[in-house]
Amino acid sequence: MATLVSFHAHPDDECIVAGGVMRKAFEEGHRVVLVVATRGEVGEVPDGFLDEGEELWQRRVQETHASAEVLGAKRVEFLGYTDSGMMGEPRNDVPGTFWQADVEEAAQRLAEILREEQADVLTVYDDNGGYGHPDHIQVHRVGMRAAELAGTPRVYEATSNSDEMRRGMEEAVRTGQMKAEDLPDFEDGSEFGKPEAILTARVDVGAYLPHKRAAMRAHASQISEDSFFLAMPDEGFAQAFGVEWFIRAGQGPGITETDLMAGL
């Protein structure tokens, strides 16, 4: 049995980009640990959603534990920082937010968990945090440094395949499922995910899609039943979430891995 630690920015992030590899590792007999930098204090819920006197972060902590149970995580830890909001918002500058955290200090907190667990594998995000969110970028910085401090041998940067995303959208336009005017401008310099050429791991998590969806459903304060994630048909959900992509330093060129826990 080996140990996988999956590090994320906010409650609900875990089930979107790494829920499949977490459940896969659990079902193959490995120990899975979930670490979240913040308690997801930023967000809006309908009136009456929270109990009287209940704070949003309290509900999101409960939801994270429910999601972790679905995904097979046997330990859940929060590093104690607060949500920084989207890039450019005033919250970015508030002391105590994850974006304002000292990288070395935060890395020491995570490294302590990695040492306690004798972690074999750590997942973080790519250097742009997947899509530029400050807390996600900080997960990359803190996670990479923590792995150095703890001597964690395998570190995978969770990301998206931007080339596949582009191909999928263009096919949706071709088949009439999407309007051409809704197609993003892929040449405008914005970045969501990473080009296929620099990805090193493609993990088929199709067998665990029911768990990914159930974990998303556990985060009802963030992912409603009529949300993009839960409202799409099974075929669309499988296409969007059936593969999880990663970058591992020293691997490649090209995609050379299909299992983060191989050989452990």
Side-chain angles (χ1 to χ4, degrees), residues 5-8 14 22 32-36 64 68 73 75-77:
V5 176
S6 197
F7 181 37
H8 297 275
E14 78 285 348
M22 290 172 67
V32 179
V33 176
L34 172 61
V35 181
V36 190
T64 303
R75 178 182 179 184
V76 178
E77 294 289 345

Side-chain angles (χ1 to χ4, degrees), residues 169-182:
M169 289 183 179
E170 290 173 344
E171 176 65 13
V173 170
R174 189 187 68 79
T175 58
Q177 300 175 60
M178 183 177 181
K179 296 179 180 179
E181 55 265 31
D182 293 334

Side-chain angles (χ1 to χ4, degrees), residues 4 6 13-28 70-71 123 158-159 164 201-216 234-246 257-261:
L4 165 68
S6 197
D13 289 335
E14 78 285 348
C15 51
I16 297 170
V17 297
V21 295
M22 290 172 67
R23 182 70 195 190
K24 182 176 186 294
F26 165 73
E27 292 200 5
E28 292 174 353
V70 171
L71 297 176
T123 72
T159 188
E164 182 178 79
R202 178 191 187 277
V203 185
D204 183 343
V205 297
Y208 313 103
L209 288 175
H211 300 93
K212 287 190 73 167
R213 208 161 201 171
M216 291 179 187
D234 290 346
E235 183 179 349
F237 189 84
Q239 184 174 356
F241 299 106
V243 172
E244 292 174 356
W245 304 91
F246 299 87
E257 294 181 284
T258 58
D259 182 359
L260 307 194
M261 311 300 288

